[in-house]
Amino acid sequence: MCAPLFLLGLFAVSGFAARADITLSLNFKDGDKVSDITKLIAKVESSDGIDKVEFRVDDDLRNSDTSVPYEYEWDTIADTEGAHTISITAYDSNMQTKRITVALAIDNEIALGAPALAQKAQDALAAKDNATALRYSRRALKAEPGNSEASRVLAGLYAGQQDLPKAIATLEKAKNLDASTGAMLDLAAYRLRRALQPENAATFLTELQAVNDLRHKAADLAVKETTKRVTVDGKISAEGHDAIGDALTFAGHTHQATLEYGKAAIGDDAPLTSVNRLALSLVMENRPQEAMNLLRPLMRTKKADAVSRAIEGLSLLRQQQFVEARAAVQPDLADHVPASLIVAAYADSALGKRRDAAAAAHDAAVLLPNVGEAQFALAIATPDPVESDSAISRALALSPFQVGLYLEYAARIALSKRQDRYDQALNLTDLVLKAEPDNMSAKMMQAMIFLQANRLPEAEPILKDLNKKYATEPDMLLALATYWNVKDSGGQVTYFMNQARKADADRFAPSSPLRPLEFIALVNRKLHYRGGLFLTPASLYPATTP
């Protein structure tokens, strides 16, 4: 009888020793408030070791953690505001358990409403406080799923992390997307960035057309909103006509913008800002001489300002007078006038002054980081290929209706020397010609790509048509020399090269005959001879133009 009693006592002692106590605590106490993503951390101790710790919210198992630190990141946005019961259960290696409960209250300020929360998100984003912007954008979307302004902030944060699929998906779910100019333009920009990625080359044109449809819709809405805003008792002031003209310019409706600016730029006492805008619009309509006629009286009477001189410079650039264009803006460069810096960068690039061009372009891009022409100037001036590619992508997103950007991108694609991308470059030139049927650069680039791809029957009628209109132009003469070089006709090559040299010895006198891609590299990428260089009201009047 003694032995069994002894063994029973021994088992009892050993069993007692095996069942160690579990201590368990949480990093929050009853009544604490939590918000956004809150990390719940359980501190657990047991001499027998812990197998796992379970976290429940209102009896709903949310996480099971098997290693130190035992924690659960609770996204409180997914739950309702107010009180919740948090249960923490620890299991040791002997399957003993310890459980504690804590009452916590979610407070994400949802009662403030989506507009107020979205505004806080926008303010934080403007202050470059991305963490706060993220918090408040998520809160606003909890208060009103699909809120367009909060969606824009959240999408912008995703895009900043190069997560374009999330950025696009966020905006595509936005409520009343068609009624938000900004949201549509943001979505178009992110979709374009995705389309520009090399792996999406096969779908680039289709996506680009969809993007431009979205941009047109957004820009046309902006025109309507602007017109409504500036119309008071059925009347529109000079400033109102300028604002409508700016919206039309951004929407790519250049001729309509010219008509609108003309309503304000009437008479000798017309506001200089209106006259300058009208002159710019005339230049962008390929009517540079009319623009110069408008500006000359201002120059004679010394009423012209730095903006006037920048427009004069752009007019000269579009007439391939690069030295004169550079001289026109020279007086304003020391004052870092943005439009003057951009014109200088354009001109210096064409004149081969790469260092000066890059300096002016960098200054302009610092002053106007979100203006398309500043990014375009940087794209063509910087010697850094990575910076250049980034700048042209930004320019395309910021200035969607400027054909010069598409010609620049088409040239880059063609010069990649990939046979499978020639059609993509041709599609881009087709896109340009839909907007400007007589665009010489687009037609000439098409001809050169056809020559490069050994598609002479398609190149020849284009060159024949261009020659009828531009027979004495140096770029046309050099294009013909390039054509005859492909045809191995040495005498014709020599003749047209000599003619090009006589027309412009500084720029069109290569040391040897050119192949088609070499022609594109010289005329379109190096000289930007007819490259669709542009300015907009955003660089003329950056303080007042959105």
Side-chain angles (χ1 to χ4, degrees):
M1 294 293 293
C2 292
L5 287 174
F6 171 76
L7 289 174
L8 183 62
L10 182 62
F11 292 152
V13 171
S14 62
F16 177 80
R19 301 180 65 81
D21 287 336
I22 300 174
T23 62
L24 175 61
S25 62
L26 185 66
N27 60 323
F28 288 94
K29 62 183 184 299
D30 277 333
D32 282 351
K33 290 184 177 181
V34 293
S35 62
D36 304 298
I37 296 177
T38 295
K39 185 176 287 188
L40 303 178
I41 303 174
K43 184 177 180 181
V44 192
E45 292 182 358
S46 172
S47 59
D48 287 338
I50 297 299
D51 276 0
K52 65 178 178 178
V53 175
E54 294 180 342
F55 297 80
R56 286 178 168 79
V57 177
D58 299 327
D59 290 329
D60 177 30
L61 179 62
R62 298 293 179 87
N63 189 46
S64 182
D65 200 345
T66 59
S67 61
V68 177
Y70 303 103
E71 60 187 25
Y72 164 50
E73 288 193 347
W74 180 19
D75 187 352
T76 66
I77 295 291
D79 290 291
T80 59
E81 294 282 274
H84 293 270
T85 299
I86 310 303
S87 303
I88 314 295
T89 305
Y91 298 80
D92 71 8
S93 58
N94 287 321
M95 294 308 293
Q96 289 190 104
T97 64
K98 177 78 172 188
R99 185 171 186 262
I100 62 172
T101 61
V102 179
L104 301 179
I106 294 177
D107 182 10
N108 282 310
E109 304 178 284
I110 303 301
L112 290 176
L117 293 167
Q119 186 60 56
K120 286 179 178 288
Q122 290 171 324
D123 293 344
L125 189 63
K128 298 183 179 180
D129 184 352
N130 289 356
T132 300
L134 176 62
R135 286 199 302 272
Y136 278 105
S137 62
R138 296 179 74 244
R139 291 180 181 188
L141 290 169
K142 171 70 173 182
E144 181 190 347
N147 178 276
S148 61
E149 294 308 309
S151 296
R152 290 183 66 192
V153 173
L154 186 58
L157 293 170
Y158 286 141
Q161 298 166 1
Q162 306 305 313
D163 194 341
L164 292 176
K166 274 191 177 181
I168 292 167
T170 298
L171 282 175
E172 287 178 338
K173 291 186 292 186
K175 188 163 59 176
N176 299 322
L177 177 66
D178 290 353
S180 173
T181 300
M184 284 192 283
L185 290 175
D186 287 351
L187 177 57
Y190 303 145
R191 289 179 63 178
L192 176 65
R193 283 174 57 183
R194 182 177 64 182
L196 288 170
Q197 294 173 344
E199 62 269 25
N200 297 322
T203 60
F204 173 75
L205 186 66
T206 301
E207 182 68 4
L208 180 61
Q209 290 171 334
V211 164
N212 280 347
D213 288 344
L214 185 60
R215 284 166 158 171
H216 276 295
K217 191 172 186 177
D220 290 342
L221 176 61
V223 172
K224 292 179 181 178
E225 291 175 341
T226 302
T227 302
K228 182 179 179 180
R229 175 173 54 81
V230 302
T231 302
V232 180
D233 297 329
K235 298 180 180 180
I236 301 175
S237 66
E239 292 83 358
H241 287 301
D242 285 349
I244 296 170
D246 290 352
L248 287 164
T249 297
F250 180 74
H253 303 314
T254 309
H255 181 64
Q256 291 172 258
T258 301
L259 298 176
E260 195 67 34
Y261 291 138
K263 296 174 184 178
I266 299 174
D268 294 337
D269 59 346
L272 180 58
T273 54
S274 301
V275 177
N276 283 339
R277 281 175 161 91
L278 177 57
L280 173 65
S281 194
L282 289 168
V283 174
M284 297 307 297
E285 270 201 273
N286 295 316
R287 297 159 64 185
Q289 194 55 53
E290 293 178 58
M292 295 294 287
N293 293 340
L294 186 64
L295 292 173
R296 281 197 183 103
L298 299 177
M299 304 292 183
R300 284 197 302 267
T301 58
K302 298 186 178 180
K303 293 181 180 179
D305 61 4
V307 169
S308 310
R309 290 185 287 273
I311 298 166
E312 178 190 16
L314 181 66
S315 177
L316 292 164
L317 287 172
R318 289 215 157 199
Q319 297 174 80
Q320 292 76 53
Q321 298 178 45
F322 302 107
V323 173
E324 295 82 355
R326 182 60 168 74
V329 298
Q330 180 61 40
D332 306 303
L333 297 180
D335 294 329
H336 286 78
V337 175
S340 302
L341 290 167
I342 293 167
V343 170
Y346 288 156
D348 284 336
S349 294
L351 294 169
K353 299 178 180 179
R354 311 303 296 181
R355 182 176 297 179
D356 292 341
H362 276 110
D363 286 350
V366 169
L367 291 169
L368 302 177
N370 297 314
V371 171
E373 52 264 44
Q375 292 297 324
F376 187 33
L378 182 60
I380 66 177
T382 178
D384 182 344
V386 174
E387 183 178 50
S388 180
D389 287 345
S390 175
I392 195 63
S393 296
R394 283 184 55 77
L396 281 163
L398 292 164
S399 297
F401 306 118
Q402 296 296 335
V403 299
L405 298 176
Y406 296 104
L407 291 172
E408 168 71 16
Y409 196 68
R412 292 177 185 228
I413 291 172
L415 292 172
S416 68
K417 298 182 181 180
R418 284 177 47 183
Q419 187 76 29
D420 60 331
R421 300 198 74 187
Y422 290 153
D423 283 341
Q424 186 181 1
L426 289 169
N427 286 335
L428 283 169
T429 58
D430 281 338
L431 196 67
V432 169
L433 290 170
K434 285 181 181 179
E436 294 185 5
D438 295 324
N439 189 289
M440 181 185 181
S441 288
K443 290 182 178 181
M444 194 170 287
M445 196 181 304
Q446 281 190 342
M448 290 299 121
I449 294 171
F450 285 137
L451 290 177
Q452 178 66 29
N454 200 30
R455 294 161 62 178
L456 272 68
E458 292 166 276
E460 288 168 345
I462 298 174
L463 291 171
K464 183 178 180 180
D465 179 64
L466 289 175
N467 193 39
K468 289 179 182 178
K469 300 176 182 177
Y470 306 103
T472 61
E473 295 291 325
D475 48 344
M476 185 68 243
L477 293 164
L478 192 61
L480 292 173
T482 303
Y483 166 73
W484 289 111
N485 190 34
V486 172
K487 298 267 288 184
D488 291 323
S489 179
Q492 294 281 34
V493 171
T494 301
Y495 172 77
F496 282 109
M497 285 188 68
N498 287 336
Q499 293 299 308
R501 186 177 295 109
K502 289 178 183 178
D504 189 335
D506 292 330
R507 284 178 285 275
F508 290 91
S511 57
S512 59
L514 300 179
R515 303 299 293 176
L517 290 187
E518 293 173 332
F519 178 93
I520 291 175
L522 174 65
V523 177
N524 297 91
R525 291 289 291 117
K526 182 178 180 181
L527 300 179
H528 292 90
Y529 196 65
R530 302 178 193 271
L533 306 175
F534 68 97
L535 295 173
T536 69
S539 60
L540 301 187
Y541 299 106
T544 58
T545 304

